[in-house]
Amino acid sequence: MSESTNTIETIANQEYKWGFVSDIEADAIPRGLSEDVVRLISAKKHEPEWLLEWRLKAYRHWLTMTEPTWANVHYPKIDYQDIIYYAAPKSRKNAPKSLDEVDPELLRTYEKLGIPLQEREILSGVAVDAVFDSVSVATTFKEKLKAMGVIFGSFSEAVQEYPELVRQYLGTVVPSSDNFFAALNSAVFSDGSFCYVPKGVRCPMELSTYFRINAKDTGQFERTLIIADEGAYVSYLEGCTAPMRDTNQLHAAVVELVALDRAQIKYSTVQNWYPGDKNGKGGIYNFVTKRGACRGVNSKISWTQVETGSAITWKYPSCLLIGDHSVGEFYSVALTNNYQQADTGTKMIHIGKNTTSTIVSKGISAGHGQNTYRGGVKILKNATGARNYSQCDSLLLGDQCGAHTFPYLEVKNTSSQLEHEASTSKIGEDQIFYCRQRGISSEDAVSMIVHGFCKEVFRELPMEFAVEAQKLLGVSLEGSVG
Amino acid sequence: MALLEIKDLHATVGDREILKGIDLTVEAGEVHAIMGPNGSGKSTLAQVLAGRELYHVTGGQVTYDGKDLLALSPEDRAREGIFLAFQYPVEIPGVSNMYFLKAALNTIRKHRNLPELDAMDFLERIREKMTAMNMDQTLLNRPVNAGFSGGEKKRNEIFQMAVLEPRLAILDETDSGLDIDALKLVAAGVNAMRSAERAMIVVTHYQRLLSEIVPDYVHVLADGRIVKSGGKELALELEAGGYAALGIQEEAEAVGKA
């Protein structure tokens, strides 16, 4: 076996560094799903009647649906009656009013993850709404944001404090009947983030949420809703790591974005759920529905994701380009190693006139990883002057992995322009040797090449996240010399 | 002590023996030319000295600066001052030429306990060498060798050599694919690097490079062995009479190239 293959394997075999289980007592309900469970979740959260009805409607619809099988992923059948659908850290009962009151164990958990809340609060200007299991326990910078009219906090709080806003937009981008996992989420969602940026306000800081699955065997069903009113701008960061465990955990989140006239939403994700061990045992099943609606003229929604975790990723952050001149963007790096499987991509639905979309997808496969890009570009009949540019590149490390690309194009308007580029490359032994002959170790050479491959996507990440993304891929920073 | 001492070096690729007992001593300050027909093992020798794992050393010893060269990894050889100018420089898409070279220089500097250079210091340091090798900024900002012309690739190799300042430079067919102007430019770059502390091994098929980079010694390689050694006039003899005059058959097909 050649040296470069060895290095690639060493990198591919790096163990999940963030694996540990925190010792926080969880307030969980019994396993299984029924109308009673849905009612119990809603009751525990003191939700208004309309929301309970909305959940029940979703649950009843979910019962009529079957799990989708079209994705290029394989996993044992999920027993939906063997899942605990709600858990909240006990400390929530004595709701902390400041970080001092937050369970020190929880704070230590964040520290282990390299997310010192206080430090971020003070130094980085990032408002962190930390989702630990299912309930938000610490929200920072809320007051400052509030002064500007920006509402940012947990979804449950928003339901209590801004029920009309939630009701106006919830389920309008991803209907509760949209797909199997979205319906499930709609029935049992526990918490998540809510953000509303009022007319003409440019949100002064990056909004950030860290997700973490912790209580054993607890499905995590986040619900996130972000609304940018006319002329507003918001950049939202989502990142997560999860502790080591053996049982597969289901994660079925729904994220809805709404951009009105001239509004812009930038949504960035670094996803590092536990991928399972070297043999493919354990790991998170990540079945996520993310969709943004560019409702207004000149509105823009930009998705950037770095997906390195999960045993299985099933995720297609999409844009509905409804408003004239609206813009949708999707920048993605998906890395699969060991026995990870990812089927990810985007859908760009051009509805309004002169709408533009850009797709840049970078798939990296190592070990026995299987990486699928699935992207749809749809130009509807009235979408005159629509433009799309798609680029899908795959990089293979080693010879046991796979890369697959499924681009779907559906064009019903002849005035549109679409470009599609795709490439597949392999890190070659000659490239590694060339680097080594210049004094650069094999490991650094691989990092350098992988980073170079992902550069176009990393460039789209906010500074705070770029560093984390690079850490996650174990690469050295490509500086901007000259 | 010689900078490089090769004794009875044997190397194979697959089950084929390419080097069949090479002996060569190179002192600091000297320029040695290795000539020979295609398939004689010239490029293999260059690659073996750089540590390419494709080739297996089956016998002999190589001492470099008092160290057992064959025990060192390719990157350690580079950090110890061995530079190979590739016959076919490799393309690395996505990695800028500038970034690559800065990373290389800094690993080498680190190895020598010198402080790493930041972007500004690095730029300052390479500016003069860029001018000398006619490397403009755009070439440096482009990915390593990607989309470079043959001449640009070779110029880039010599530019890298100038920046990394090796103690032993091995030039593998640096003249191949160059027109006469590019050849003169590359040769001028190499000549500027000649010094009492630095040795060079120039591998070439043709004499024309040796009119520009005048060697101290010329060795003729045939079928994996050095069959004749002499001064710079040996290259001229070969030019006049060809390898046949030395009784050497040229193989039609080139082997031993990476």
Side-chain angles (χ1 to χ4, degrees):
Chain A
M1 189 184 295
S2 75
E3 182 76 17
S4 60
T5 315
N6 275 328
T7 306
I8 289 160
E9 291 203 343
T10 309
I11 291 173
N13 290 340
Q14 275 178 6
E15 296 220 16
Y16 187 73
K17 282 193 206 145
W18 319 116
F20 51 86
V21 178
S22 292
D23 216 2
I24 292 182
E25 233 183 306
D27 175 8
I29 63 174
R31 282 168 199 277
L33 186 52
S34 64
E35 282 209 9
D36 286 346
V37 167
V38 175
R39 285 176 197 279
L40 190 59
I41 291 169
S42 189
K44 270 185 180 285
K45 302 170 79 65
H46 311 290
E47 288 176 353
E49 188 62 23
W50 65 264
L51 189 51
L52 172 62
E53 285 308 317
W54 192 80
R55 284 177 181 272
L56 287 171
K57 198 178 147 209
Y59 172 68
R60 287 169 196 143
H61 191 84
W62 178 75
L63 288 175
T64 69
M65 301 174 94
T66 47
E67 210 174 312
T69 53
W70 45 263
N72 186 22
V73 294
H74 306 278
Y75 54 93
K77 206 166 162 47
I78 298 168
D79 180 356
Y80 290 92
Q81 293 305 334
D82 194 35
I83 291 170
I84 297 168
Y85 285 89
Y86 181 81
K90 288 248 168 143
S91 58
R92 178 64 175 168
K93 283 178 178 164
N94 314 308
K97 284 163 196 70
S98 72
L99 283 175
D100 304 338
E101 293 178 34
V102 170
D103 189 336
E105 176 70 10
L106 180 55
L107 293 179
R108 272 196 294 276
T109 300
Y110 284 116
E111 284 200 24
K112 280 186 236 171
L113 288 168
I115 314 158
L117 269 182
Q118 284 122 319
E119 216 171 277
R120 281 186 175 248
E121 195 177 8
I122 300 158
L123 299 174
S124 66
V126 174
V128 176
D129 174 23
V131 175
F132 188 82
D133 271 10
S134 314
V135 171
S136 301
V137 291
T139 302
T140 56
F141 277 103
K142 217 168 152 180
E143 293 310 310
K144 190 180 169 190
L145 291 170
K146 210 170 174 179
M148 300 187 75
V150 176
I151 301 165
F152 174 54
S154 78
F155 198 90
S156 335
E157 278 167 11
V159 168
Q160 301 301 326
E161 293 170 30
Y162 310 96
E164 288 316 307
L165 264 181
V166 174
R167 195 173 181 178
Q168 188 185 343
Y169 291 102
L170 178 67
T172 63
V173 185
V174 179
S176 61
S177 58
D178 189 81
N179 67 68
F180 184 82
F181 299 112
L184 179 65
N185 174 286
S186 300
V188 301
F189 71 86
S190 37
D191 212 334
S193 295
F194 177 86
C195 178
Y196 170 81
V197 187
K199 280 183 192 172
V201 170
R202 190 180 167 88
C203 188
M205 60 191 80
E206 313 270 359
L207 302 181
S208 163
T209 303
Y210 285 87
F211 296 92
R212 185 161 167 78
I213 292 181
N214 203 290
K216 195 169 167 31
D217 293 332
T218 304
Q220 181 107 352
F221 301 93
E222 280 102 4
R223 188 92 200 179
T224 296
L225 177 55
I226 298 173
I227 303 133
D229 212 325
E230 292 172 20
Y233 168 86
V234 61
S235 170
Y236 185 87
L237 319 180
E238 174 202 336
C240 68
T241 55
M244 183 84 82
R245 77 175 59 259
D246 269 343
T247 322
N248 287 304
Q249 285 190 303
L250 178 63
H251 178 79
V254 171
V255 175
E256 296 180 279
L257 311 182
V258 178
L260 302 181
D261 286 356
R262 299 175 310 284
Q264 278 190 38
I265 301 174
K266 187 172 171 61
Y267 193 105
S268 313
T269 308
V270 171
Q271 187 268 113
N272 187 27
W273 299 112
Y274 177 51
D277 67 14
K278 272 179 220 161
N279 303 312
K281 189 168 156 44
I284 305 295
Y285 292 178
N286 194 27
F287 301 107
V288 184
T289 306
K290 288 184 168 178
R291 195 174 303 153
C294 285
R295 295 223 172 118
V297 295
N298 290 307
S299 56
K300 179 177 174 181
I301 288 178
S302 183
W303 299 100
T304 306
Q305 61 172 24
V306 176
E307 301 279 327
T308 63
S310 296
I312 294 172
T313 301
W314 180 99
K315 182 182 173 189
Y316 314 91
S318 303
C319 295
L320 301 168
L321 303 171
I322 301 162
D324 291 348
H325 302 281
S326 58
V327 177
E329 292 176 338
F330 174 75
Y331 298 95
S332 168
V333 168
L335 179 133
T336 53
N337 62 34
N338 297 324
Y339 285 87
Q340 278 180 282
Q341 307 172 59
D343 192 308
T344 185
T346 183
K347 269 187 290 186
M348 294 290 176
I349 317 288
H350 293 253
I351 301 164
K353 293 180 176 45
N354 301 312
T355 47
T356 311
S357 62
T358 303
I359 299 170
V360 177
S361 164
K362 305 277 180 176
I364 303 161
S365 314
H368 292 83
Q370 292 296 326
N371 211 318
T372 300
Y373 167 80
R374 189 182 303 277
V377 178
K378 206 168 180 175
I379 316 277
L380 299 193
K381 212 166 143 190
N382 294 323
T384 44
R387 298 187 63 159
N388 163 264
Y389 171 75
S390 302
Q391 183 190 335
C392 318
D393 299 320
S394 305
L395 186 67
L396 301 171
L397 292 81
D399 50 12
Q400 305 287 314
C401 53
H404 316 270
T405 303
F406 300 102
Y408 302 89
L409 299 176
E410 193 181 326
V411 182
K412 294 197 170 136
N413 185 304
T414 50
S415 67
S416 51
Q417 281 181 44
L418 287 87
E419 284 176 72
H420 182 91
E421 286 178 28
S423 75
T424 303
S425 51
K426 202 173 163 174
I427 296 187
E429 205 231 330
D430 54 343
Q431 288 175 323
I432 304 283
F433 179 68
Y434 188 74
C435 293
R436 296 179 78 191
Q437 211 301 305
R438 296 299 183 254
I440 299 163
S441 70
S442 310
E443 199 173 39
D444 288 347
V446 170
S447 293
M448 193 187 269
I449 294 167
V450 167
H451 183 73
F453 178 74
C454 302
K455 201 164 49 180
E456 286 156 279
V457 174
F458 284 169
R459 200 179 280 153
E460 296 298 322
L461 285 173
M463 272 305 287
E464 292 89 330
F465 249 25
V467 177
E468 190 152 337
Q470 280 154 23
K471 256 196 229 162
L472 278 180
L473 291 188
V475 301
S476 56
L477 178 70
E478 165 131 23
S480 49
V481 186
Chain B
M1 183 180 52
L3 182 62
L4 182 75
E5 195 158 14
I6 304 174
K7 278 186 188 160
D8 195 28
L9 182 66
H10 291 253
T12 59
V13 60
D15 52 10
R16 184 169 169 189
E17 187 169 50
I18 309 284
L19 301 183
K20 300 175 180 172
I22 302 278
D23 291 283
L24 181 66
T25 301
V26 178
E27 303 281 349
E30 293 176 352
V31 174
H32 290 244
I34 309 275
M35 300 187 72
N38 289 332
S40 58
K42 307 187 298 289
S43 280
T44 301
L45 177 61
Q47 298 263 340
V48 165
L49 291 177
R52 184 85 192 228
E53 278 130 356
L54 190 67
Y55 302 96
H56 297 282
V57 174
T58 48
Q61 296 163 10
V62 182
T63 312
Y64 167 76
D65 195 23
K67 299 179 186 75
D68 176 7
L69 185 73
L70 301 176
L72 298 178
S73 67
E75 56 268 38
D76 279 338
R77 297 183 198 196
R79 291 166 191 167
E80 289 286 337
I82 291 183
F83 180 92
L84 172 64
F86 283 62
Q87 182 179 4
Y88 303 107
V90 179
E91 300 189 3
I92 308 178
V95 178
S96 93
N97 211 13
M98 181 84 101
Y99 178 75
F100 175 76
L101 190 52
K102 181 167 145 268
L105 180 63
N106 276 335
T107 37
I108 291 169
R109 284 178 66 88
K110 211 172 148 188
H111 186 75
R112 294 177 189 165
N113 292 320
L114 293 169
E116 295 185 34
L117 298 177
D118 64 21
M120 292 309 292
D121 290 342
F122 175 73
L123 251 181
E124 196 55 45
R125 209 182 149 87
I126 65 170
R127 205 172 295 279
E128 203 178 299
K129 287 158 182 167
M130 280 167 63
T131 317
M133 287 314 295
N134 197 14
M135 295 286 293
D136 62 26
Q137 189 71 44
T138 49
L139 219 49
L140 286 178
N141 290 339
R142 274 163 51 188
V144 180
N145 292 321
F148 284 29
S149 71
E152 284 169 341
K153 283 183 184 174
K154 293 297 173 75
R155 249 157 57 204
N156 196 29
E157 293 293 290
I158 303 306
F159 169 64
Q160 289 182 9
M161 174 173 120
V163 172
L164 299 179
E165 299 179 332
R167 296 181 63 198
L168 173 64
I170 304 161
L171 278 57
D172 189 6
E173 309 247 4
T174 295
D175 51 333
S176 69
L178 293 185
D179 63 32
I180 190 68
D181 292 334
L183 182 74
K184 280 185 188 298
L185 186 71
V186 163
V190 173
N191 286 330
M193 297 276 304
R194 290 179 80 150
S195 84
E197 293 81 42
R198 184 172 292 129
M200 294 186 188
I201 296 174
V202 181
V203 172
T204 184
H205 187 93
Y206 302 105
Q207 192 274 333
R208 65 171 195 165
L209 179 67
L210 304 181
S211 314
E212 303 293 335
I213 304 168
V214 181
D216 301 303
Y217 301 95
V218 175
H219 311 276
V220 179
L221 201 61
D223 192 27
R225 290 184 188 89
I226 290 176
V227 293
K228 194 164 185 182
S229 294
K232 61 186 175 200
E233 62 289 343
L234 180 56
L236 295 169
E237 265 174 56
L238 277 172
E239 175 79 353
Y243 291 108
L246 292 176
I248 299 166
Q249 291 270 307
E250 282 215 54
E251 278 184 35
E253 204 181 330
V255 294
K257 284 175 186 167

